[in-house]
Amino acid sequence: MQKKASRRRSTTCRPNKRQIQKRRKFLEEGLTPLVEKYWFQRYDLFSRYDEGIKMDEQGWYSVTPEKIAITHAKRCENATVIDCFAGVGGNAIQFASMCYHVVAIEIDPLKVDMAINNAKIYGVEDYIDFIVGDFFQLAPSLKGDIVFLSPPWGGPSYKWVKIFILDLLKPKDGYEIFQAAQAITPNIIMFLPRNVDLHQVEELCWLSSPPLQVEIEKNYVRSNLKGVTVYFGGTAASSQCGSS
């Protein structure tokens, strides 16, 4: 006796009304598919996003999440901070809320315009001097208590590299970037990819004599590892170079 073939009902997962509304809003903002995943995290990037925050495509995947930027700023209370790759202003805004003065340097004038707009939304524009320029050309004339470095990581593709070496940082390798900052002050904070080579990072403290204190901190947002912050000199806890 021949058995009847059983029919299986195919099911498809349909988006709910809320998901459809979010998708529609994303499309209305005219953003590219590359930044879609970051758009869904927009309130992690800027809690006041809906008040008129502006970002270009690179800004979406480059800006430091606000929770992490606040963590950085807490290390810099009552100091003059130089933000060397300011982008659309995520870190500069949080520094300005806790510091005497912030110098925010960005080579792209369009990003500077966006950063000024964003600083106004947070009410801290009067505490930030925005400069359109190349950090490496400006470095010899800069004075500050703390230098913050969050150089470009090379775009979202950084996460596909098993171990991110300092040579992959832009516009120069991590060693050159660090030495340019070191000429200003030994108190340096670097925000780096979550897959960065930590042994290379620790080696940076030996570029100074005597070696700098160093502290390495992993940064999470909603239980997801987003990056690694390295504190050098006076911004670090008591860990000595090579003993962290």
Side-chain angles (χ1 to χ4, degrees), residues 16-63:
N16 59 39
K17 186 175 181 180
R18 187 178 179 186
Q19 290 173 324
I20 293 172
Q21 288 174 338
K22 282 187 175 181
R23 176 68 178 168
R24 185 179 294 131
K25 187 175 180 182
F26 168 78
L27 294 173
E28 286 173 354
E29 291 192 27
L31 301 172
T32 65
L34 179 64
V35 305
E36 183 172 1
K37 64 171 285 189
Y38 303 99
W39 183 84
F40 284 105
Q41 303 169 29
R42 59 196 181 281
Y43 300 116
D44 290 335
L45 305 180
F46 288 99
S47 61
R48 301 177 69 171
Y49 177 83
D50 288 341
E51 297 178 41
I53 292 294
K54 293 182 180 179
M55 288 184 276
D56 61 357
E57 184 175 271
Q58 187 180 30
W60 275 102
Y61 58 73
S62 300
V63 69

Short mmCIF file of all heavy atoms in Angstrom, two decimals, residues 16-63:
data_model
loop_
_atom_site.label_atom_id
_atom_site.label_comp_id
_atom_site.label_asym_id
_atom_site.label_seq_id
_atom_site.Cartn_x
_atom_site.Cartn_y
_atom_site.Cartn_z
N ASN A 16 6.85 42.55 11.88
CA ASN A 16 5.68 43.11 12.55
C ASN A 16 5.54 44.59 12.22
O ASN A 16 6.40 45.18 11.54
CB ASN A 16 5.75 42.88 14.07
CG ASN A 16 6.99 43.50 14.69
OD1 ASN A 16 7.40 44.59 14.31
ND2 ASN A 16 7.58 42.82 15.65
N LYS A 17 4.47 45.18 12.71
CA LYS A 17 4.17 46.58 12.37
C LYS A 17 5.28 47.52 12.82
O LYS A 17 5.65 48.45 12.10
CB LYS A 17 2.84 46.97 13.02
CG LYS A 17 2.35 48.35 12.62
CD LYS A 17 0.98 48.63 13.22
CE LYS A 17 0.47 50.02 12.80
NZ LYS A 17 -0.87 50.30 13.39
N ARG A 18 5.83 47.27 14.01
CA ARG A 18 6.88 48.14 14.54
C ARG A 18 8.13 48.06 13.67
O ARG A 18 8.78 49.08 13.40
CB ARG A 18 7.21 47.74 15.97
CG ARG A 18 8.17 48.68 16.66
CD ARG A 18 8.41 48.25 18.09
NE ARG A 18 9.35 49.13 18.75
CZ ARG A 18 9.82 48.92 19.97
NH1 ARG A 18 9.42 47.87 20.66
NH2 ARG A 18 10.67 49.75 20.52
N GLN A 19 8.49 46.85 13.22
CA GLN A 19 9.66 46.69 12.36
C GLN A 19 9.45 47.39 11.03
O GLN A 19 10.38 48.00 10.49
CB GLN A 19 9.93 45.20 12.15
CG GLN A 19 10.45 44.48 13.38
CD GLN A 19 10.54 42.98 13.18
OE1 GLN A 19 9.70 42.38 12.52
NE2 GLN A 19 11.57 42.37 13.76
N ILE A 20 8.25 47.31 10.52
CA ILE A 20 7.94 47.98 9.25
C ILE A 20 8.07 49.50 9.40
O ILE A 20 8.62 50.18 8.54
CB ILE A 20 6.52 47.60 8.77
CG1 ILE A 20 6.48 46.12 8.40
CG2 ILE A 20 6.09 48.46 7.59
CD1 ILE A 20 5.08 45.59 8.10
N GLN A 21 7.58 50.02 10.52
CA GLN A 21 7.66 51.46 10.76
C GLN A 21 9.11 51.93 10.88
O GLN A 21 9.49 52.98 10.35
CB GLN A 21 6.88 51.82 12.03
CG GLN A 21 5.36 51.72 11.87
CD GLN A 21 4.62 51.95 13.17
OE1 GLN A 21 5.18 51.79 14.27
NE2 GLN A 21 3.35 52.33 13.08
N LYS A 22 9.94 51.13 11.56
CA LYS A 22 11.36 51.48 11.71
C LYS A 22 12.04 51.47 10.35
O LYS A 22 12.83 52.37 10.03
CB LYS A 22 12.05 50.48 12.64
CG LYS A 22 11.78 50.73 14.12
CD LYS A 22 12.62 49.80 14.97
CE LYS A 22 12.47 50.10 16.45
NZ LYS A 22 13.32 49.22 17.29
N ARG A 23 11.75 50.45 9.56
CA ARG A 23 12.35 50.35 8.24
C ARG A 23 11.94 51.53 7.38
O ARG A 23 12.76 52.11 6.66
CB ARG A 23 11.92 49.03 7.60
CG ARG A 23 12.40 48.83 6.17
CD ARG A 23 13.89 48.65 6.10
NE ARG A 23 14.32 48.42 4.73
CZ ARG A 23 15.56 48.46 4.32
NH1 ARG A 23 16.52 48.72 5.17
NH2 ARG A 23 15.87 48.24 3.06
N ARG A 24 10.68 51.91 7.44
CA ARG A 24 10.18 53.04 6.66
C ARG A 24 10.88 54.34 7.08
O ARG A 24 11.27 55.15 6.25
CB ARG A 24 8.67 53.16 6.83
CG ARG A 24 8.03 54.24 5.97
CD ARG A 24 6.52 54.28 6.16
NE ARG A 24 5.90 53.06 5.66
CZ ARG A 24 5.02 52.35 6.34
NH1 ARG A 24 4.67 52.72 7.57
NH2 ARG A 24 4.48 51.26 5.82
N LYS A 25 11.06 54.51 8.38
CA LYS A 25 11.72 55.71 8.88
C LYS A 25 13.17 55.77 8.42
O LYS A 25 13.68 56.83 8.05
CB LYS A 25 11.65 55.76 10.41
CG LYS A 25 12.16 57.06 11.00
CD LYS A 25 11.96 57.12 12.51
CE LYS A 25 12.47 58.44 13.07
NZ LYS A 25 12.32 58.50 14.54
N PHE A 26 13.85 54.62 8.43
CA PHE A 26 15.23 54.56 7.96
C PHE A 26 15.31 54.99 6.50
O PHE A 26 16.16 55.80 6.12
CB PHE A 26 15.77 53.13 8.12
CG PHE A 26 17.08 52.89 7.41
CD1 PHE A 26 18.26 53.35 7.94
CD2 PHE A 26 17.11 52.22 6.18
CE1 PHE A 26 19.47 53.14 7.29
CE2 PHE A 26 18.30 52.01 5.52
CZ PHE A 26 19.49 52.46 6.08
N LEU A 27 14.40 54.49 5.68
CA LEU A 27 14.40 54.84 4.25
C LEU A 27 14.08 56.31 4.04
O LEU A 27 14.63 56.95 3.14
CB LEU A 27 13.39 53.96 3.50
CG LEU A 27 13.72 52.45 3.45
CD1 LEU A 27 12.57 51.67 2.85
CD2 LEU A 27 15.00 52.22 2.66
N GLU A 28 13.21 56.87 4.87
CA GLU A 28 12.85 58.29 4.75
C GLU A 28 14.04 59.19 5.02
O GLU A 28 14.13 60.30 4.49
CB GLU A 28 11.72 58.61 5.73
CG GLU A 28 10.35 58.08 5.29
CD GLU A 28 9.29 58.27 6.36
OE1 GLU A 28 9.64 58.72 7.48
OE2 GLU A 28 8.11 57.97 6.08
N GLU A 29 14.99 58.73 5.84
CA GLU A 29 16.17 59.56 6.14
C GLU A 29 17.20 59.50 5.02
O GLU A 29 18.21 60.21 5.06
CB GLU A 29 16.80 59.11 7.46
CG GLU A 29 15.93 59.44 8.67
CD GLU A 29 16.66 59.27 9.99
OE1 GLU A 29 17.91 59.41 10.00
OE2 GLU A 29 16.01 59.02 11.01
N GLY A 30 16.96 58.66 4.02
CA GLY A 30 17.83 58.62 2.85
C GLY A 30 19.21 58.06 3.12
O GLY A 30 20.19 58.44 2.46
N LEU A 31 19.32 57.14 4.07
CA LEU A 31 20.61 56.57 4.42
C LEU A 31 20.93 55.37 3.55
O LEU A 31 20.06 54.73 2.97
CB LEU A 31 20.61 56.16 5.90
CG LEU A 31 20.33 57.32 6.87
CD1 LEU A 31 20.15 56.79 8.28
CD2 LEU A 31 21.45 58.34 6.83
N THR A 32 22.22 55.03 3.47
CA THR A 32 22.66 53.92 2.62
C THR A 32 22.55 52.60 3.37
O THR A 32 22.58 52.57 4.61
CB THR A 32 24.12 54.13 2.18
OG1 THR A 32 24.97 54.06 3.34
CG2 THR A 32 24.30 55.49 1.50
N PRO A 33 22.47 51.49 2.65
CA PRO A 33 22.39 50.18 3.30
C PRO A 33 23.56 49.89 4.23
O PRO A 33 23.42 49.16 5.21
CB PRO A 33 22.38 49.20 2.11
CG PRO A 33 21.81 49.99 0.98
CD PRO A 33 22.31 51.39 1.18
N LEU A 34 24.73 50.48 3.95
CA LEU A 34 25.92 50.25 4.76
C LEU A 34 25.71 50.66 6.22
O LEU A 34 26.24 50.04 7.15
CB LEU A 34 27.12 51.00 4.18
CG LEU A 34 28.46 50.86 4.94
CD1 LEU A 34 28.93 49.42 4.93
CD2 LEU A 34 29.51 51.77 4.32
N VAL A 35 24.91 51.69 6.45
CA VAL A 35 24.75 52.22 7.80
C VAL A 35 23.47 51.75 8.48
O VAL A 35 23.17 52.15 9.60
CB VAL A 35 24.81 53.76 7.82
CG1 VAL A 35 26.08 54.27 7.17
CG2 VAL A 35 23.59 54.36 7.13
N GLU A 36 22.72 50.87 7.81
CA GLU A 36 21.42 50.47 8.36
C GLU A 36 21.54 49.88 9.77
O GLU A 36 20.79 50.24 10.67
CB GLU A 36 20.74 49.47 7.44
CG GLU A 36 19.35 49.08 7.92
CD GLU A 36 18.58 48.25 6.92
OE1 GLU A 36 19.13 47.95 5.83
OE2 GLU A 36 17.42 47.88 7.21
N LYS A 37 22.50 48.97 9.99
CA LYS A 37 22.63 48.35 11.31
C LYS A 37 22.99 49.37 12.37
O LYS A 37 22.59 49.26 13.52
CB LYS A 37 23.66 47.23 11.28
CG LYS A 37 25.09 47.67 10.97
CD LYS A 37 26.09 46.53 11.19
CE LYS A 37 26.33 46.29 12.65
NZ LYS A 37 27.44 45.34 12.91
N TYR A 38 23.75 50.42 11.97
CA TYR A 38 24.13 51.46 12.93
C TYR A 38 22.94 52.37 13.22
O TYR A 38 22.81 52.89 14.34
CB TYR A 38 25.32 52.26 12.39
CG TYR A 38 26.51 51.39 12.07
CD1 TYR A 38 26.77 50.98 10.77
CD2 TYR A 38 27.36 50.94 13.09
CE1 TYR A 38 27.85 50.16 10.48
CE2 TYR A 38 28.44 50.11 12.80
CZ TYR A 38 28.67 49.73 11.49
OH TYR A 38 29.73 48.90 11.21
N TRP A 39 22.08 52.56 12.22
CA TRP A 39 20.90 53.39 12.43
C TRP A 39 20.01 52.78 13.51
O TRP A 39 19.44 53.50 14.34
CB TRP A 39 20.13 53.54 11.12
CG TRP A 39 18.93 54.43 11.22
CD1 TRP A 39 18.91 55.79 11.11
CD2 TRP A 39 17.58 54.04 11.47
NE1 TRP A 39 17.62 56.27 11.26
CE2 TRP A 39 16.79 55.21 11.49
CE3 TRP A 39 16.96 52.81 11.67
CZ2 TRP A 39 15.42 55.20 11.70
CZ3 TRP A 39 15.58 52.78 11.88
CH2 TRP A 39 14.83 53.97 11.90
N PHE A 40 19.90 51.48 13.53
CA PHE A 40 19.08 50.82 14.55
C PHE A 40 19.71 50.94 15.94
O PHE A 40 19.05 50.68 16.95
CB PHE A 40 18.84 49.35 14.19
CG PHE A 40 17.83 49.17 13.10
CD1 PHE A 40 18.21 48.83 11.80
CD2 PHE A 40 16.48 49.36 13.35
CE1 PHE A 40 17.27 48.68 10.79
CE2 PHE A 40 15.53 49.21 12.33
CZ PHE A 40 15.93 48.87 11.06
N GLN A 41 20.99 51.35 15.99
CA GLN A 41 21.68 51.59 17.27
C GLN A 41 21.85 53.08 17.54
O GLN A 41 22.64 53.49 18.38
CB GLN A 41 23.06 50.92 17.24
CG GLN A 41 23.04 49.43 16.96
CD GLN A 41 24.43 48.87 16.68
OE1 GLN A 41 25.44 49.37 17.17
NE2 GLN A 41 24.49 47.83 15.87
N ARG A 42 21.09 53.91 16.83
CA ARG A 42 21.32 55.36 16.85
C ARG A 42 21.26 55.98 18.24
O ARG A 42 22.01 56.92 18.54
CB ARG A 42 20.34 56.07 15.90
CG ARG A 42 18.85 55.87 16.23
CD ARG A 42 17.99 56.27 15.04
NE ARG A 42 16.55 56.13 15.29
CZ ARG A 42 15.89 54.98 15.26
NH1 ARG A 42 16.55 53.84 15.02
NH2 ARG A 42 14.59 54.94 15.47
N TYR A 43 20.41 55.48 19.11
CA TYR A 43 20.31 56.06 20.45
C TYR A 43 21.47 55.63 21.34
O TYR A 43 21.71 56.26 22.38
CB TYR A 43 18.97 55.71 21.09
CG TYR A 43 17.79 56.21 20.28
CD1 TYR A 43 16.89 55.32 19.71
CD2 TYR A 43 17.60 57.58 20.05
CE1 TYR A 43 15.82 55.77 18.95
CE2 TYR A 43 16.53 58.03 19.28
CZ TYR A 43 15.65 57.12 18.74
OH TYR A 43 14.60 57.57 17.98
N ASP A 44 22.17 54.56 20.95
CA ASP A 44 23.41 54.20 21.64
C ASP A 44 24.54 55.13 21.23
O ASP A 44 25.47 55.38 21.99
CB ASP A 44 23.80 52.75 21.33
CG ASP A 44 22.87 51.74 21.96
OD1 ASP A 44 22.23 52.07 22.98
OD2 ASP A 44 22.78 50.61 21.44
N LEU A 45 24.46 55.65 20.01
CA LEU A 45 25.48 56.57 19.51
C LEU A 45 25.26 57.98 20.06
O LEU A 45 26.19 58.62 20.54
CB LEU A 45 25.47 56.58 17.97
CG LEU A 45 25.62 55.23 17.29
CD1 LEU A 45 25.59 55.39 15.77
CD2 LEU A 45 26.91 54.54 17.72
N PHE A 46 24.03 58.45 19.95
CA PHE A 46 23.64 59.76 20.48
C PHE A 46 22.26 59.61 21.12
O PHE A 46 21.28 59.38 20.41
CB PHE A 46 23.58 60.82 19.39
CG PHE A 46 24.90 61.27 18.85
CD1 PHE A 46 25.40 60.75 17.66
CD2 PHE A 46 25.65 62.22 19.51
CE1 PHE A 46 26.61 61.16 17.15
CE2 PHE A 46 26.88 62.65 19.01
CZ PHE A 46 27.36 62.12 17.83
N SER A 47 22.18 59.77 22.41
CA SER A 47 20.88 59.62 23.09
C SER A 47 19.89 60.70 22.64
O SER A 47 18.68 60.51 22.72
CB SER A 47 21.07 59.68 24.61
OG SER A 47 21.61 60.93 25.01
N ARG A 48 20.40 61.83 22.13
CA ARG A 48 19.54 62.93 21.68
C ARG A 48 19.44 62.97 20.15
O ARG A 48 19.24 64.03 19.56
CB ARG A 48 20.06 64.25 22.26
CG ARG A 48 20.12 64.23 23.79
CD ARG A 48 20.70 65.50 24.40
NE ARG A 48 19.81 66.64 24.23
CZ ARG A 48 20.00 67.82 24.82
NH1 ARG A 48 21.04 68.00 25.63
NH2 ARG A 48 19.15 68.81 24.61
N TYR A 49 19.54 61.82 19.55
CA TYR A 49 19.54 61.71 18.09
C TYR A 49 18.34 62.41 17.45
O TYR A 49 18.48 63.11 16.45
CB TYR A 49 19.56 60.23 17.67
CG TYR A 49 19.48 60.04 16.17
CD1 TYR A 49 20.62 60.14 15.38
CD2 TYR A 49 18.26 59.80 15.54
CE1 TYR A 49 20.55 59.99 14.01
CE2 TYR A 49 18.18 59.65 14.17
CZ TYR A 49 19.32 59.75 13.40
OH TYR A 49 19.26 59.62 12.04
N ASP A 50 17.17 62.23 18.03
CA ASP A 50 15.95 62.76 17.43
C ASP A 50 15.87 64.29 17.46
O ASP A 50 14.96 64.87 16.84
CB ASP A 50 14.72 62.19 18.12
CG ASP A 50 14.48 60.73 17.78
OD1 ASP A 50 15.04 60.27 16.75
OD2 ASP A 50 13.77 60.03 18.53
N GLU A 51 16.80 64.94 18.15
CA GLU A 51 16.77 66.40 18.25
C GLU A 51 17.51 67.09 17.11
O GLU A 51 17.64 68.31 17.11
CB GLU A 51 17.32 66.84 19.60
CG GLU A 51 16.47 66.35 20.78
CD GLU A 51 17.05 66.76 22.13
OE1 GLU A 51 17.53 67.90 22.25
OE2 GLU A 51 17.03 65.92 23.06
N GLY A 52 18.00 66.28 16.15
CA GLY A 52 18.64 66.87 14.97
C GLY A 52 20.10 66.51 14.78
O GLY A 52 20.82 67.22 14.07
N ILE A 53 20.54 65.40 15.37
CA ILE A 53 21.92 64.96 15.20
C ILE A 53 22.21 64.70 13.72
O ILE A 53 21.39 64.15 12.99
CB ILE A 53 22.19 63.67 16.01
CG1 ILE A 53 22.13 63.97 17.52
CG2 ILE A 53 23.51 63.02 15.63
CD1 ILE A 53 23.24 64.88 18.03
N LYS A 54 23.41 65.10 13.29
CA LYS A 54 23.81 64.92 11.90
C LYS A 54 25.08 64.06 11.82
O LYS A 54 26.01 64.26 12.59
CB LYS A 54 24.07 66.27 11.23
CG LYS A 54 22.81 67.12 11.06
CD LYS A 54 23.11 68.43 10.34
CE LYS A 54 21.85 69.27 10.17
NZ LYS A 54 22.14 70.56 9.49
N MET A 55 25.06 63.12 10.88
CA MET A 55 26.23 62.27 10.62
C MET A 55 26.31 61.95 9.14
O MET A 55 25.28 61.79 8.49
CB MET A 55 26.14 60.95 11.41
CG MET A 55 26.35 61.09 12.90
SD MET A 55 26.35 59.48 13.74
CE MET A 55 24.58 59.25 13.96
N ASP A 56 27.53 61.84 8.63
CA ASP A 56 27.70 61.32 7.27
C ASP A 56 27.89 59.81 7.38
O ASP A 56 27.85 59.24 8.46
CB ASP A 56 28.89 62.00 6.57
CG ASP A 56 30.21 61.76 7.28
OD1 ASP A 56 30.23 61.11 8.36
OD2 ASP A 56 31.25 62.21 6.77
N GLU A 57 28.07 59.16 6.23
CA GLU A 57 28.16 57.69 6.24
C GLU A 57 29.30 57.21 7.13
O GLU A 57 29.14 56.29 7.95
CB GLU A 57 28.35 57.17 4.82
CG GLU A 57 28.36 55.65 4.73
CD GLU A 57 28.43 55.13 3.31
OE1 GLU A 57 27.38 54.94 2.69
OE2 GLU A 57 29.56 54.92 2.83
N GLN A 58 30.47 57.82 7.01
CA GLN A 58 31.61 57.40 7.83
C GLN A 58 31.34 57.66 9.31
O GLN A 58 31.74 56.88 10.17
CB GLN A 58 32.87 58.14 7.38
CG GLN A 58 34.13 57.63 8.09
CD GLN A 58 35.38 58.35 7.63
OE1 GLN A 58 35.35 59.52 7.25
NE2 GLN A 58 36.50 57.67 7.65
N GLY A 59 30.66 58.75 9.59
CA GLY A 59 30.34 59.07 10.98
C GLY A 59 29.51 58.00 11.64
O GLY A 59 29.68 57.71 12.83
N TRP A 60 28.59 57.39 10.90
CA TRP A 60 27.71 56.37 11.47
C TRP A 60 28.51 55.20 12.03
O TRP A 60 28.21 54.69 13.10
CB TRP A 60 26.73 55.86 10.40
CG TRP A 60 25.51 56.70 10.28
CD1 TRP A 60 25.23 57.64 9.32
CD2 TRP A 60 24.37 56.69 11.14
NE1 TRP A 60 24.01 58.21 9.54
CE2 TRP A 60 23.45 57.64 10.64
CE3 TRP A 60 24.04 55.98 12.29
CZ2 TRP A 60 22.23 57.89 11.25
CZ3 TRP A 60 22.82 56.22 12.90
CH2 TRP A 60 21.92 57.16 12.38
N TYR A 61 29.53 54.76 11.30
CA TYR A 61 30.26 53.59 11.80
C TYR A 61 31.56 53.96 12.53
O TYR A 61 32.28 53.08 13.00
CB TYR A 61 30.54 52.58 10.67
CG TYR A 61 31.33 53.09 9.47
CD1 TYR A 61 32.70 53.34 9.55
CD2 TYR A 61 30.71 53.30 8.25
CE1 TYR A 61 33.41 53.78 8.46
CE2 TYR A 61 31.41 53.73 7.14
CZ TYR A 61 32.77 53.96 7.25
OH TYR A 61 33.49 54.40 6.15
N SER A 62 31.84 55.26 12.66
CA SER A 62 33.07 55.68 13.32
C SER A 62 32.85 56.31 14.70
O SER A 62 33.75 56.27 15.54
CB SER A 62 33.82 56.68 12.44
OG SER A 62 34.17 56.12 11.20
N VAL A 63 31.69 56.90 14.92
CA VAL A 63 31.48 57.63 16.17
C VAL A 63 31.50 56.67 17.36
O VAL A 63 31.02 55.54 17.29
CB VAL A 63 30.15 58.42 16.12
CG1 VAL A 63 28.94 57.49 16.12
CG2 VAL A 63 30.07 59.42 17.26
#
